[in-house]
Amino acid sequence: MLIISGLAEAKKDRGAELLDKLEVGMEELQQIVEDRNRDAVAPKQKELLQYVGDVEEDMVDGFPYEVPEEYRNMPLLKGRAAVDMKVKVKDNPNLEECVFRIVLDGYNAPVTAGNFVDLVQRHFYDGMEIQRADGFVVQTGDPDGPAEGFIDPSTEKTRTIPLEIMVDGEKAPVYEATLEELGLYKAQTKLPFNAFGTMAMAREEFENNSASSQIFWLLKESELTPSNANILDGRYAVFGYVTENEDFLADVKVGDVIESIKLVSGQDNLVNPSYKIAG
């Protein structure tokens, strides 16, 4: 009942339903563990984490903080969203194409996630090839031509976004500086590189605010990259996680084609979409 009292008023009925599902799911997970059914553990954990995420979202009524004024007119994702990325896989007899579901977290990375959703709505990534796949990350987003990012038609310049990192325990993200530069050596990030399929913005190594359109997914298992004990946490902006078919990311190769990325939920959470202005 304590959790239900913390839910936004309009979301209490749905919250109660989710908590009931969570309770049943926990019992099912306990039975799976007792039966030593190892293959069933991860899918059940993922299902339960989805319920937890939905409950957390229902505890927020409106957006919990103000984005700094200098970024307020950028495309912002004020909440969560999900996209489906359809990849055509070449030279793999076991996999011809795969659809990856990606959940984007605008509560903890509104500028970063908003920039990406805006590019998705422009179909920026559709038809683009995977440009790096080295066993550590899968990366794409570098358009044809000399530009290394998205050229905004309204300015004819590369649109860049600031480095944006939410520190655990803080109410709003920090901008434009790595946690190391801020002296926050032991700080935990709210969105860590701790899962296969963690999604983040690529940028120039010594230019914190140079991210534009290039994105990457981490391929290392979380045991090898514990939260805040790797070279990425606090230096690169995480803004989402692949939640379906993430294991197939390991099969994606350079030259495979992103047929499409489509927004499947959360469109109402996108503020200041530039793709509408552009038509």
Side-chain angles (χ1 to χ4, degrees):
M1 290 304 293
L2 199 59
I3 293 176
I4 290 176
S5 68
L7 296 172
E9 195 62 41
K11 300 176 181 178
K12 284 187 175 177
D13 288 346
R14 191 179 95 109
E17 184 182 329
L18 287 167
L19 288 169
D20 287 344
K21 288 181 177 179
L22 189 59
E23 185 177 2
V24 171
M26 290 295 290
E27 292 171 1
E28 291 172 347
L29 179 61
Q30 181 68 34
Q31 191 60 52
I32 287 168
V33 171
E34 289 175 5
D35 293 344
R36 299 191 176 186
N37 184 356
R38 296 178 70 178
D39 291 342
V41 171
K44 181 55 69 173
Q45 284 178 324
K46 186 182 291 186
E47 177 190 327
L48 297 179
L49 284 171
Q50 181 65 50
Y51 292 149
V52 171
D54 289 345
V55 171
E56 285 179 339
E57 190 166 7
D58 286 350
M59 294 180 86
V60 179
D61 198 3
F63 198 67
Y65 57 86
E66 285 286 346
V67 172
E69 192 172 351
E70 56 264 47
Y71 317 127
R72 214 166 281 169
N73 294 326
M74 291 179 166
L76 304 173
L77 185 66
K78 291 192 167 184
R80 288 209 177 100
V83 298
D84 280 348
M85 179 174 71
K86 187 177 181 181
V87 177
K88 189 165 184 61
V89 180
K90 299 177 181 176
D91 304 323
N92 188 331
N94 301 317
L95 188 68
E96 188 170 317
E97 65 178 30
C98 188
V99 177
F100 300 95
R101 171 65 56 89
I102 306 167
V103 174
L104 310 169
D105 189 339
Y107 287 117
N108 293 301
V111 176
T112 313
N115 175 71
F116 175 73
V117 173
D118 189 66
L119 292 175
V120 165
Q121 295 296 76
R122 286 174 172 272
H123 306 287
F124 176 83
Y125 298 99
D126 295 2
M128 190 173 282
E129 292 188 350
I130 298 297
Q131 295 152 354
R132 177 182 172 187
D134 56 11
F136 182 61
V137 300
V138 167
Q139 185 167 323
T140 192
D142 184 359
D144 291 337
E148 293 184 350
F150 165 64
I151 302 294
D152 189 335
S154 66
T155 63
E156 297 185 348
K157 294 179 180 176
T158 302
R159 183 173 82 189
T160 57
I161 57 173
L163 179 62
E164 177 181 52
I165 296 169
M166 179 71 91
V167 176
D168 205 13
E170 296 295 323
K171 292 184 177 175
V174 293
Y175 289 90
E176 301 196 9
T178 68
L179 297 192
E180 188 177 16
E181 289 167 348
L182 295 170
L184 300 174
Y185 301 107
K186 294 185 178 180
Q188 301 281 314
T189 56
K190 200 76 182 284
L191 300 178
F193 284 92
N194 69 344
F196 197 100
T198 300
M199 184 179 188
M201 292 301 297
R203 62 175 177 82
E204 293 177 30
E205 187 176 358
F206 300 109
E207 291 287 340
N208 293 346
N209 305 323
S210 59
S212 177
S213 59
Q214 295 192 43
I215 51 179
F216 68 91
W217 294 271
L218 185 74
L219 295 185
K220 291 294 183 184
E221 293 287 3
S222 56
E223 289 80 7
L224 300 177
T225 52
S227 300
N228 304 86
N230 58 66
I231 60 171
L232 300 175
D233 277 320
R235 294 181 181 177
Y236 292 87
V238 173
F239 63 100
Y241 296 89
V242 180
T243 61
E244 291 179 20
N245 291 327
E246 65 272 21
D247 291 346
F248 289 114
L249 277 171
D251 295 313
V252 172
K253 301 287 186 289
V254 171
D256 290 347
V257 177
I258 298 172
E259 291 190 344
S260 64
I261 304 182
K262 293 182 178 175
L263 189 65
V264 293
S265 69
Q267 180 164 349
D268 291 346
N269 294 331
L270 182 64
V271 180
N272 308 325
S274 77
Y275 73 93
K276 287 189 176 178
I277 299 169

